[in-house]
Amino acid sequence: MDETELLEQTLDPPTTDVPPSELSSNGKAPEGKEWVDTPKGTECGIGPCKPQCLQIFASKKFFTFMLCIFGLIEGALISGFEPVIISSLEIRYKFSSTAASVIIIVFDIAVVVSVIIISYFGEKAHKPRWIGIAFFTQGIGALVFALPHFIFGKYDAGSVTNTTLVLESCNNPSLLVPDCDAGNTGAYILFLIGNAIIGVSAAPLFTIGVSFIDDIVLPKYVSLHIGVFQVCTIVGPAIGFGIGSALLTLYVDVGEVTNLTEDDPAWVGAWWLSFIVSSGISFLFSIPFFFYPRVLPDTHLVTEARQKQMKGTYKGRFGKEDTFVEQLKAFPFHLLGLFKSKAWLFLTLGTTFLFLSLEALVSFAPKYVETVYRVPASTAGLIIGAMAIAAGGIGTLTGALIAHCVKIGKNMGIVNWVTVLIAVVPLVGFFLTCRSVDVVGIGTQYTNNSISNSSDVLLASCNADCNCSSTIFEPVCGADGLTYFSPCRASCQQVGDIQNVTYENCGCVATNLRNNMMNSDFGTILASSTATRGLCPLPCTYLAGFIALVTIFVILIFLIRVPFLLVTLRSVADEQRTFALGVQSLFFRLFGSIPGPLLFGAIIDSGCVYSQTECGRIANCWVYDNNILRLRAYIFCTLGILACLVCTVLSWVFYPPYGFKLAPPDGTEYKCTDPPVDGKLSAPNPVFISETTDGILY
C-alpha cells in the first residue's frame, strides 16, 4: 500500500471486527466477510470485563474528546483560576507578588522533575491508563490547594470587616496588632504542595497524550485532532478566567455579612470554590481512561503512514527495549539521539524563549490590568478571560488549518518564524498605560503639611494627632480631588453617610482647600471638607487599545502552537516522539515557564512605591508606579520573542532535507501492515537509513 492510499482513508476506518488471519494487506475486511472478532488487546474494558457495549468508545474521536476534557480542566486550574485569584491570595494571606509567583512556578518545577521519567517510560506503557491516573491525581492536587480556606479560619483582614475599622476616622483610628501566627505559612505550604501535585499530573497530558493521538490518527488528520485538543487547553484558561472572576464577586466566606465592597482594596472573593469544583470533575472524568485499550485495531496502518513522513539525524538503531532494565540502559542513547537533531534543538530553545514571555504575561495579566488600569480583580479576570477565548481559539484553529494545508517540513518552518516576527509588533501596547495612582504622602506631598525627618511618609501636621495605622489601605477621595491613604490619614473627624461611606470634617482636605482659596475662613472650609471611600476617578481610555493589541499578540502566538508541535514530532525518530516532547517540556519549563512568572513577579514588585510591612516582612503592595511596570514588562516580553525568532529561523535552516525509509536489522525493507497482537504492534523494530548518497548508515 502506498502513502496516498493510506492518507485517503477516513478518520475512523470500519470498526467492526475481523480475525487477524483474514485481515487483508490494506487493513480492511475481505469483501463479502463480516467482522467477527476484535484483535486481542484492542478492546475497551478492564481485565476480562470487556462488554460489547463499551467497544463503541474505542475510537480516535472519543479519546481526543476525553483528552480535551483533561486539557480543559488543567488549563482552567493553572492558567485560569490561579492568575485570577493571585491578587486575592496576596491580600488574604499577605504575600508579595514575588512570593505568589513561586506558587505558580512550583507547577512547572513539578513538571520538570517528573516529565523525563514519565515521557521516557510512558512511551511503551499503557498510555491511556497513565493519563487516567494523572487526571485523578490532578483532582487530589486541586483539593489540597483549596484546603487553606477550611483550615485557617475566616478572613478578617485584621478585623477589617468590623464596622468601626471600615469606617475609620481620626477620632476612631485602627490600633491593630498584626496577627503573626503560623497560619499564613501553613497556607503557603499547602498552595505549594497542591500546585506540585497538579504539575506531576500535567506531565503526561502534553507528552503521552499528544503522542497517543499521533499513534492512532492518520497523519493527514492528526493536525486537526491536535488542534482541537490545543483549542481546549486554551478554552480551559478562558473558562477559568470567567468562572474564577464570577466567583470573586462572592465574599470569600460565603454567607458571611461584610461591609466591604468589591471595589475595596481589601476585598477577597471566593477563590477556593473553583478548585473544589475542578477536583470533583477530575475524579469523575478520569474513569473512562482506565477502560481504553492500549492501541486500536488499525494503529499499525497509522504507524506505517507516519513513518513515511519521519525525518531525523540519528546514528545507529533502536532496540526493542521491552524490559525496564533495557529501557534504562538505552536512556543515554535516546537522549544523545535527540540532541543530534539541530532542528529539534533550536525549536526547543525557541519554544523556551516563547514560554518565558508568554507564561510570565499570562500568569500576571489580570494583576497587571487590575493595577495599571484600576479595575476590580473580577473585572480584570473577565476581560482577560474573554480575550483568551477569542484570541486563543482563533489562533489555534487557524494554526491547525494551516498545518493541515501546508506540508510538514520547510514550509511549516517558514510559517513559524514569520509569525513570530510579526508578533513583536503588537507588544507596543504596553505603552498604552494609565497614570499611576497618586496617594497624598506617596505620589503627592501634603501641601505645607509634611513633617520633616519622619520615617512615616503619610504623617503630616494635619493628621499628627490621629495616631493612624499604616497597615490597612482604605483609600478615600477628598473634596480637593486627591486620594488619601485612609480617612484617618485625611484627618476626617466623623462618619457622614454610613451607607455610601462618606466622611466629614476632614482636616487635611480642608488645609489643602484653604491653600487654594486665599483669605477663606478655615472653619467654613472644614465644614464642607468631605471624603468618599475609594480612589479618586482618573480618566483613562487606553484599556481597550491595550487589550486589542494583546489580543493580536496572543492570536499570533497560539497560531504557531500546532505547527511547532508537528515539526517537533517529525524532527525526531518515531520511537522518540513522546520522549522528545518530554525533554522539550523540561527545557521550556525549566528555562521558560519557571523563571518567567518569577521574573515578571519581580518586575511588578519593582514598580511598587508603597507596600504593607507586617511582622517584620514586606507583604502585599498597595501603590505602584505604572511607568516602571509598562517599560520593564515591554522590554522583558520583547527580548523573549526576539530570542524565539532567532531560534525558530535556525530550526527552519537545519530542518533535515533528507527523508528516511524503514528496514529491519537484516537490511530488508518491510512495511508495518501486521495487525496488533495483545495490544502491541508485531512488526520488527525499524532503523532509519539515510537516502543521502554517501553510503553511510545514519
Side-chain angles (χ1 to χ4, degrees):
M1 181 191 304
D2 60 25
E3 182 178 1
T4 303
E5 291 175 319
L6 276 170
L7 296 180
E8 288 178 350
Q9 292 190 46
T10 59
L11 182 62
D12 285 300
T15 55
T16 49
D17 303 325
V18 69
S21 59
E22 297 184 22
L23 198 66
S24 64
S25 61
N26 62 3
K28 297 180 180 179
E31 187 175 352
K33 283 190 173 287
E34 295 280 336
W35 285 43
V36 296
D37 191 21
T38 300
K40 187 177 179 181
T42 64
E43 312 99 324
C44 272
I46 296 180
C49 181
K50 298 178 180 178
Q52 188 63 35
C53 61
L54 290 180
Q55 305 318 309
I56 188 175
F57 299 109
S59 70
K60 307 167 177 65
K61 294 177 181 178
F62 180 73
F63 178 82
T64 301
F65 169 75
M66 290 304 303
L67 197 68
C68 286
I69 299 296
F70 190 177
L72 188 146
I73 301 300
E74 188 273 339
L77 278 170
I78 297 301
S79 301
F81 297 144
E82 288 191 16
V84 166
I85 69 170
I86 203 67
S87 60
S88 298
L89 295 184
E90 290 178 19
I91 298 171
R92 172 65 178 87
Y93 298 102
K94 300 178 175 63
F95 305 145
S96 66
S97 292
T98 302
S101 68
V102 175
I103 297 176
I104 296 174
I105 66 175
V106 160
F107 167 84
D108 294 290
I109 293 174
V111 175
V112 166
V113 172
S114 61
V115 71
I116 293 297
I117 297 174
I118 290 175
S119 62
Y120 182 68
F121 291 103
E123 175 62 41
K124 295 190 176 182
H126 194 302
K127 295 180 180 179
R129 289 181 185 171
W130 276 47
I131 296 171
I133 294 172
F135 206 173
F136 187 86
T137 304
Q138 177 178 272
I140 297 175
L143 192 60
V144 172
F145 198 95
L147 284 180
H149 173 75
F150 302 96
I151 294 177
F152 298 110
K154 296 180 179 179
Y155 171 58
D156 60 7
S159 300
V160 78
T161 55
N162 181 281
T163 303
T164 301
L165 297 180
V166 171
L167 304 181
E168 176 195 37
S169 68
C170 183
N171 288 331
N172 188 25
S174 59
L175 301 176
L176 300 178
V177 177
D179 181 10
C180 297
D181 62 22
N184 291 343
T185 302
Y188 192 77
I189 292 173
L190 284 175
F191 290 140
L192 297 178
I193 294 174
N195 240 17
I197 295 174
I198 297 174
V200 172
S201 69
L205 176 61
F206 297 99
T207 55
I208 296 176
V210 172
S211 174
F212 193 69
I213 289 180
D214 202 38
D215 283 342
I216 63 177
V217 179
L218 288 168
K220 182 177 181 180
Y221 303 101
V222 71
S223 64
L224 299 180
H225 279 253
I226 293 178
V228 171
F229 166 68
Q230 294 283 8
V231 167
C232 288
T233 64
I234 297 166
V235 172
I239 293 176
F241 276 116
I243 295 178
S245 299
L247 292 177
L248 286 183
T249 62
L250 300 175
Y251 184 61
V252 60
D253 297 311
V254 179
E256 291 289 319
V257 178
T258 177
N259 289 317
L260 289 175
T261 63
E262 191 180 345
D263 294 329
D264 195 296
W267 172 270
V268 174
W271 61 269
W272 53 275
L273 274 174
S274 53
F275 288 86
I276 295 295
V277 174
S278 299
S279 177
I281 295 176
S282 298
F283 290 147
L284 179 63
F285 281 88
S286 66
I287 297 174
F289 286 104
F290 294 99
F291 291 86
Y292 211 83
R294 181 185 292 266
V295 295
L296 298 182
D298 65 333
T299 299
H300 58 295
L301 300 178
V302 177
T303 302
E304 180 182 355
R306 182 180 66 250
Q307 289 172 341
K308 288 185 177 181
Q309 285 189 341
M310 298 300 294
K311 298 179 183 294
T313 56
Y314 299 96
K315 185 180 264 186
R317 63 186 62 186
F318 301 113
K320 290 186 177 181
E321 303 160 14
D322 291 328
T323 68
F324 175 79
V325 175
E326 290 174 343
Q327 293 183 51
L328 198 60
K329 289 181 178 179
F331 180 85
F333 173 74
H334 281 280
L335 189 62
L336 180 63
L338 284 181
F339 284 93
K340 286 186 177 181
S341 171
K342 294 183 179 66
W344 174 86
L345 179 60
F346 283 114
L347 193 64
T348 298
L349 292 175
T351 305
T352 299
F353 286 116
L354 184 67
F355 272 81
L356 181 69
S357 299
L358 184 62
E359 288 296 317
L361 180 59
V362 169
S363 298
F364 283 95
K367 170 82 174 180
Y368 183 87
V369 170
E370 178 185 349
T371 300
V372 173
Y373 299 99
R374 294 175 54 182
V375 296
S378 60
T379 303
L382 287 173
I383 291 173
I384 299 300
M387 182 271 291
I389 290 177
I394 293 173
T396 302
L397 286 176
T398 303
L401 291 174
I402 291 174
H404 182 63
C405 299
V406 177
K407 186 176 181 180
I408 299 177
K410 284 283 187 178
N411 292 338
M412 195 167 291
I414 295 175
V415 171
N416 289 340
W417 69 258
V418 170
T419 305
V420 175
L421 176 63
I422 299 173
V424 177
V425 178
L427 288 175
V428 297
F430 278 110
F431 289 97
L432 300 177
T433 305
C434 295
R435 201 180 77 199
S436 303
V437 175
D438 288 329
V439 177
V440 177
I442 301 175
T444 303
Q445 296 299 317
Y446 287 93
T447 305
N448 299 326
N449 264 288
S450 299
I451 298 179
S452 59
N453 301 322
S454 174
S455 60
D456 187 354
V457 297
L458 298 172
L459 186 64
S461 58
C462 61
N463 61 30
D465 297 329
C466 290
N467 193 23
C468 301
S469 169
S470 299
T471 301
I472 297 176
F473 185 43
E474 292 288 339
V476 292
C477 181
D480 55 355
L482 300 177
T483 298
Y484 293 83
F485 188 83
S486 69
C488 184
R489 291 292 183 174
S491 190
C492 297
Q493 302 299 314
Q494 63 187 51
V495 177
D497 185 349
I498 295 179
Q499 184 175 0
N500 296 319
V501 192
T502 59
Y503 304 87
E504 297 175 349
N505 298 331
C506 300
C508 293
V509 177
T511 301
N512 189 43
L513 288 175
R514 184 177 65 173
N515 291 330
N516 297 325
M517 300 168 60
M518 301 301 295
N519 299 322
S520 297
D521 180 62
F522 182 76
T524 303
I525 297 175
L526 181 62
S528 61
S529 297
T530 60
T532 305
R533 189 176 185 180
L535 301 170
C536 289
L538 184 65
C540 179
T541 58
Y542 293 134
L543 177 59
F546 173 78
I547 293 299
L549 289 172
V550 171
T551 299
I552 296 173
F553 172 76
V554 174
I555 288 175
L556 293 171
I557 295 303
F558 279 95
L559 185 148
I560 58 177
R561 289 188 69 179
V562 174
F564 262 50
L565 185 58
L566 291 176
V567 172
T568 298
L569 290 171
R570 295 300 178 265
S571 297
V572 297
D574 192 41
E575 293 88 345
Q576 291 195 304
R577 289 169 300 124
T578 302
F579 188 45
L581 292 176
V583 177
Q584 188 177 78
S585 178
L586 181 145
F587 263 82
F588 74 68
R589 292 183 189 278
L590 186 61
F591 302 107
S593 298
I594 291 176
L598 189 61
L599 292 172
F600 208 83
I603 286 174
I604 290 182
D605 280 342
S606 71
C608 181
V609 295
Y610 191 86
S611 59
Q612 177 182 347
T613 301
E614 191 170 285
C615 302
R617 62 181 176 84
I618 296 177
N620 50 298
C621 182
W622 292 127
V623 182
Y624 291 90
D625 186 328
N626 290 350
N627 290 327
I628 293 177
L629 290 182
R630 71 174 183 181
L631 180 60
R632 294 179 181 178
Y634 172 75
I635 293 174
F636 177 81
C637 292
T638 301
L639 289 178
I641 297 301
L642 289 176
C644 174
L645 174 63
V646 173
C647 293
T648 307
V649 171
L650 291 174
S651 174
W652 168 68
V653 171
F654 287 107
Y655 191 85
Y658 38 85
F660 287 80
K661 58 185 178 181
L662 298 166
D666 60 5
T668 59
E669 185 177 354
Y670 89 99
K671 290 187 177 181
C672 188
T673 55
D674 295 332
V677 177
D678 291 332
K680 296 182 179 180
L681 298 179
S682 58
N685 208 352
V687 297
F688 291 96
I689 299 180
S690 173
E691 293 182 345
T692 56
T693 59
D694 55 11
I696 299 176
L697 179 64
Y698 289 90

